[in-house]
Amino acid sequence: MQRTQRFSIILCISCSLAALLSGCSTLAPSYTRPAAPVPASWQQDGAPETASAQLGVAEPAWQDFFRDPRLKKVIELGLTHNRDMRVAALNVERAQAQYQIQRAALVPEVDASGGAGFQRVPADFSSTGEAQKLHQYTVGIGVTSYELDLFGRVRSLKDQALEQYLATEQAKQSERISLIAQIAASYLTLAADRESLSVAQETLKAQEESYRLIQRQFEVGTSSELDLRQAQTQVESARVDVARYTTMVAQDTDSLNLLAGTQIPADLLPTSLSLTGQVAALAEVTPGLSSDVLLNRPDVLQAENMLKGYNANIGAARAAYFPRITLVGSLGSGSNQLSGLFSSGTGSWSFMPQIDLPIFDAGARSAQLQVAEVDRDIAIAQYEKAIQTAFQEVADALAQRTNVERQLAAQQALCDATEKRYALTQKRYAQGVDSHLNVLDAQRSLYSAQQGVIGIRLTRLTNLVFLYKALGGGVEAGS
């Protein structure tokens, strides 16, 4: 009994020592964030001098950035029902479970066991010359194959699993921001195509009325067949555009439903771009804004987490050069009678430490360390590329944003002038001063200018959306 008590003390001390040793440092290299391989700031050529407020990453939240109430509801539907978001969330749960599995290896696993055995020994095999029935009952508690993490191998693997989990969390965040931007862009595209369809339908209606007028004039001989065929050409051209925009509206709706992951109610769909409420609000980006804001983009953080994980793997590969000590021990009781299982003198124990000392492996450990170091170098390159890609996306969005307001103003002025020209040609044609050919040409120019205004307005709004995404996006508090 005293031996059993002594072993219990030894086992407790061993477990405590093992837990203490598991907190030792690893052999992984000290992590230093690589320098960002991009300029320190963006210099916007021709940027407005009135720009005053810098836009930080993840502000404002998307609920504050997108102002249109219907668009907000569509985005909420997408965040709830989109299948890619579900996969991303499940990947986070899986990575978290994997981390918990690896972390558990730092603590000894204690198992309880119990068993019973029944055996009949024939007389020929019995020491007494008579047949015997043997009963055995055992119960115990023990540690199975616990590695003393003297050189940080298990801890390095735990650190790698943690970084993998954090990288998956950042991937989910990146997927979320991307989905919000995609839904907003698709919503705006649907609004623009619906407005283009409306303009095409109004143009078709006006051209059909013009065609009927020319047809009556042709029948009474006051208009030529050339005028009639030109008017007919304009009508058929308008019908082609109506059919084309009708198809585009249907496809835009299907695309938006797919992003939302569910059928969007008709009352949440936009009717036109000009009737859509204030879609987005974005602070001005000051010329010279520091590019350090990119370091907080989810995809950049994901690349950095992967880099940290590969850096931790080097520690595990280095630890493989050193001995591995494994502890196996148990404490229990055994008896040939169930009632005597815990009687005096029935105690049993075992303690079997094992050491594995590497001697010769034909260079396998060296190759594993080299693989770990190369993986780390690859991760550095991928991290740097993620920053460069982010910088380019912001630079492209800023370059477009600088001139899109001027372009929209010029296009709107062109549309207003063309509308006045169309009205004048109609009056001159009604007074017999001008030919119908000039009316058709002015009408065609007005239609083109109107569609141009819609297109540039769409470009302006989607530019805000993609600039917001490029700078890191935003999420609601507590997400």
Side-chain angles (χ1 to χ4, degrees), residues 21-352:
L21 291 174
S22 66
C24 297
S25 60
T26 70
L27 298 178
S30 298
Y31 174 75
T32 302
R33 173 183 283 178
V38 294
S41 62
W42 290 279
Q43 298 296 333
Q44 302 176 63
D45 295 332
E49 295 181 357
T50 57
S52 58
Q54 290 189 356
L55 176 68
V57 175
E59 62 176 2
W62 71 263
Q63 295 95 332
D64 298 325
F65 177 74
F66 296 104
R67 301 293 181 85
D68 187 273
R70 292 181 299 178
L71 174 56
K72 283 186 178 181
K73 292 180 180 178
V74 174
I75 291 176
E76 289 172 354
L77 285 175
L79 294 177
T80 302
H81 300 286
N82 182 270
R83 296 321 188 260
D84 290 334
M85 279 304 305
R86 289 187 183 180
V87 171
L90 292 173
N91 282 335
V92 171
E93 292 183 17
R94 182 180 184 277
Q96 185 179 28
Q98 290 286 354
Y99 167 63
Q100 291 173 346
I101 291 172
Q102 194 61 54
R103 184 181 180 184
L106 291 172
V107 181
E109 179 181 348
V110 180
D111 297 321
S113 63
F118 307 96
Q119 182 180 9
R120 182 183 184 277
V121 180
D124 291 345
F125 296 153
S126 174
S127 60
T128 62
E130 296 180 1
Q132 291 182 318
K133 292 182 179 179
L134 303 179
H135 294 178
Q136 292 180 339
Y137 300 92
T138 60
V139 64
I141 186 171
V143 176
T144 59
S145 189
Y146 172 68
E147 179 182 346
L148 285 179
D149 196 26
L150 299 177
F151 303 100
R153 190 188 75 87
V154 178
R155 187 175 179 83
S156 292
L157 294 177
K158 185 269 296 184
D159 291 342
Q160 192 276 333
L162 174 61
E163 296 301 334
Q164 181 66 43
Y165 161 62
L166 295 176
T168 309
E169 181 68 44
Q170 294 299 337
K172 175 190 173 184
Q173 196 78 309
S174 183
E175 180 69 32
R176 185 185 188 88
I177 294 172
S178 178
L179 176 62
I180 291 173
Q182 286 179 333
I183 290 177
S186 294
Y187 183 91
L188 294 172
T189 300
L190 174 59
D193 286 343
R194 279 193 164 184
E195 185 168 345
S196 293
L197 174 61
S198 178
V199 171
Q201 289 172 335
E202 291 175 1
T203 301
L204 174 61
K205 181 179 178 180
Q207 288 175 347
E208 285 177 336
E209 292 177 355
S210 178
Y211 173 73
R212 285 191 292 268
L213 175 62
I214 298 299
Q215 189 175 35
R216 287 193 296 268
Q217 292 176 348
F218 173 73
E219 290 172 354
V220 298
T222 58
S223 182
S224 66
E225 184 177 1
L226 178 60
D227 290 340
L228 178 64
R229 298 311 171 196
Q230 287 174 337
Q232 183 181 10
T233 300
Q234 292 289 89
V235 170
E236 300 305 329
S237 178
R239 283 177 180 167
V240 170
D241 279 356
V242 168
R244 179 166 61 90
Y245 283 118
T246 300
T247 301
M248 293 172 65
V249 166
Q251 292 174 339
D252 294 340
T253 304
D254 293 339
S255 177
L256 195 57
N257 286 332
L258 177 61
L259 289 172
T262 185
Q263 191 73 21
I264 300 175
D267 60 335
L268 295 183
L269 296 176
T271 53
S272 69
L273 197 60
S274 58
L275 296 180
T276 300
Q278 186 180 5
V279 175
L282 188 65
E284 291 291 342
V285 180
T286 304
L289 174 63
S290 173
S291 59
D292 287 345
V293 296
L294 297 178
L295 300 181
N296 291 325
R297 270 185 37 152
D299 57 335
V300 175
L301 290 175
Q302 178 187 0
E304 185 174 13
N305 288 135
M306 295 299 294
L307 171 57
K308 290 179 180 179
Y310 285 118
N311 193 72
N313 273 344
I314 295 177
R318 287 177 176 177
Y321 283 93
F322 296 91
R324 293 175 59 181
I325 300 176
T326 305
L327 301 182
V328 178
S330 64
L331 174 66
S333 177
S335 175
N336 59 1
Q337 294 182 0
L338 184 59
S339 59
L341 187 59
F342 297 101
S343 300
S344 176
T346 60
S348 64
W349 61 268
S350 67
F351 182 62
M352 296 176 291

